[in-house]
Amino acid sequence: MRKLILLALVGLGAQLVDGSLGMAYGVTSTTLLLAIGTNAAAASATVHLAEVGTTLVSGFSHWRFGNVDWPVVLKIGVPGAFGAFAGATFLSSLDTATAAPIMALILLALGLYVLVRFTLFGLRKDRLGLPLRKRFLAPLGVFAGFIDATGGGGWGPVGTPAILASGRLQPRKVVGSIDTSEFLISVAASIGFFVGIGSENIDFGWVVALLIGGVIAAPIAAWLVRHVPPRVLGSLVGGIIVLTNTRSLLKSDWIDAPDGVRYGFYAVIYLVWAAAIAWSFKQYFADKAQESVDAVTAVEDVQRPEEESKESVPA
């Protein structure tokens, strides 16, 4: 019973972060399951089954608060589902450990860009509302879905910073769209795991515990992201991307840093991250008229129709 309560609390905390920042549910939950001795395929299957429920509630909540861009959900979610199914089906025969440091390095660079861009300059508004193309979102979805299924998490850490860096969608809609599209990835991955390993290795009691915690947190996170200023949200997301991928690099075979070195890096990152968030809040309060959620939404609403009208005019 104690383990089930712990899993429910982990599910609640992980979904609160995931629903607010667009990542971390899968990575957090899978890490715990691996720590208590679950094999990789069963851990990922358990998390993805729980995510079928949590992402459904999270997606509905984000939609209710206006955090979802449906064209983006479809353009990235459908290809992502194919990638997730492939990753789940072949997890037992794939070794992604070699590619993990390379991916962490790429994501670290994206995270640094997001953190610096949003903290020092705020949300880029000149591209806000421009459409995100299928030729960008489809490959991103396939890759993120594959990584998510094979690693037990990765949809948010890959998809969120890539779309944020494009500057075409405000942060709350990036988080809401990534969270909503993750429902498709969770369903596809779960089907793939049932095909690949069956259901005998999955503890459905753990699935339910994670699900209960996540369902409770989902609407709270969706409400929260609707009210956090875009500049501050960008700094929050950028910081967690930098922290998680620095951790992955330092623990990888490339570096294999000792504990003292790793903790020193983490301390510096936490200090810089806290300073970045404080600066973002300061800049927000100094110019609420331009930095608020409503102001950014108004800019997006104006620029999107203009871009759509340009596309509709024959060349």
Side-chain angles (χ1 to χ4, degrees):
M1 179 58 72
R2 182 182 296 178
K3 185 179 289 185
L4 293 178
I5 293 173
L6 175 62
L7 284 169
L9 291 173
V10 168
L12 189 150
Q15 182 58 43
L16 193 60
V17 175
D18 187 275
S20 301
L21 301 182
M23 66 191 77
Y25 184 92
V27 173
T28 303
S29 303
T30 303
T31 300
L32 175 67
L33 292 177
L34 291 174
I36 60 179
T38 310
N39 70 66
S44 190
T46 300
V47 170
H48 280 92
L49 276 172
E51 281 187 312
V52 172
T54 59
T55 55
L56 182 62
V57 175
S58 182
F60 177 78
S61 301
H62 277 298
W63 168 70
R64 292 290 294 170
F65 285 108
N67 300 333
V68 178
D69 187 304
W70 288 108
V72 171
V73 170
L74 293 175
K75 288 176 185 176
I76 195 172
V78 174
F82 284 101
F85 180 82
T89 305
F90 298 109
L91 176 59
S92 59
S93 60
L94 288 171
D95 178 17
T96 56
T98 304
I102 298 173
M103 186 178 71
L105 197 59
I106 295 170
L107 292 176
L108 176 60
L110 275 173
L112 285 169
Y113 172 80
V114 169
L115 181 63
V116 172
R117 171 76 220 183
F118 278 86
T119 301
L120 298 182
F121 306 103
L123 176 64
R124 182 177 179 177
K125 299 184 180 70
D126 60 316
R127 301 175 68 183
L128 198 60
L130 299 182
L132 283 151
R133 306 296 186 189
K134 189 181 292 185
R135 60 176 175 266
F136 166 67
L137 291 175
L140 176 65
V142 171
F143 177 70
F146 183 84
I147 294 299
D148 189 88
T150 55
W155 180 250
V158 174
T160 299
I163 298 178
L164 272 177
S166 74
R168 298 187 175 213
L169 199 62
Q170 56 174 303
R172 69 181 180 89
K173 289 192 175 180
V174 174
V175 172
S177 300
I178 286 292
D179 258 33
T180 303
S181 59
E182 194 169 9
F183 171 73
L184 299 174
I185 279 65
S186 301
V187 171
S190 297
I191 295 172
F193 282 120
F194 277 122
V195 171
I197 67 173
S199 61
E200 61 273 9
N201 293 317
I202 300 172
D203 189 320
F204 287 93
W206 294 4
V207 173
V208 172
L210 288 170
L211 176 60
I212 290 172
V215 166
I216 293 171
I220 301 172
W223 175 87
L224 192 63
V225 76
R226 176 65 179 85
H227 293 85
V228 177
R231 185 176 197 139
V232 176
L233 187 57
S235 296
L236 285 166
V237 174
I240 198 170
I241 297 166
V242 170
L243 179 64
T244 53
N245 287 286
T246 298
R247 178 179 177 275
S248 297
L249 277 174
L250 292 176
K251 296 183 74 172
S252 70
D253 292 337
W254 284 11
I255 300 175
D256 193 21
D259 290 347
V261 173
R262 287 191 288 112
Y263 294 147
F265 269 95
Y266 300 158
V268 171
I269 292 171
Y270 277 122
L271 287 173
V272 173
W273 191 13
I277 293 169
W279 178 260
S280 293
F281 267 114
K282 179 182 177 181
Q283 295 303 111
Y284 164 69
F285 286 118
D287 192 10
K288 275 188 179 181
Q290 299 296 322
E291 296 283 349
S292 68
V293 173
D294 291 337
V296 171
T297 301
V299 172
E300 185 183 51
D301 290 343
V302 168
Q303 293 187 171
R304 176 163 292 174
E306 288 179 354
E307 181 64 22
E308 289 173 350
S309 65
K310 289 178 185 177
E311 291 185 345
S312 64
V313 176

